[in-house]
Amino acid sequence: MFELVYWCGVNNEQGEFITEIVEIDKRRYLTFGIDKFLKFTNESGQVNLIPIDNINRLKELD
């Protein structure tokens, strides 16, 4: 599990930072710097895909 903080907005305006506890596939985590998008599943089971540029912090939880 990870704590993910990312920007959610339209054209980098009128948005907010979102903090979620998410699950990330191990392969996606290992290629984090290579891919342009991050696919994750939040606690409610919703699968999301966000641009890497929108990520503020990604922290692995114990």
Side-chain angles (χ1 to χ4, degrees):
M1 298 299 274
F2 295 84
E3 179 185 67
L4 174 64
V5 179
Y6 62 95
W7 179 255
C8 183
V10 178
N11 295 327
N12 290 329
E13 297 179 11
Q14 301 175 0
E16 62 184 334
F17 282 103
I18 306 290
T19 302
E20 292 189 274
I21 303 301
V22 301
E23 186 175 328
I24 300 171
D25 179 84
K26 191 71 161 180
R27 185 183 65 82
R28 297 250 183 215
Y29 178 68
L30 293 174
T31 60
F32 176 73
I34 299 169
D35 293 337
K36 299 215 184 277
F37 293 90
L38 177 67
K39 183 179 180 180
F40 63 90
T41 305
N42 64 18
E43 290 182 300
S44 64
Q46 181 180 13
V47 177
N48 295 294
L49 186 67
I50 61 170
I52 293 291
D53 291 343
N54 287 19
I55 296 174
N56 181 267
R57 182 176 64 234
L58 179 63
K59 177 183 175 185
E60 190 168 11
L61 301 174
D62 295 333

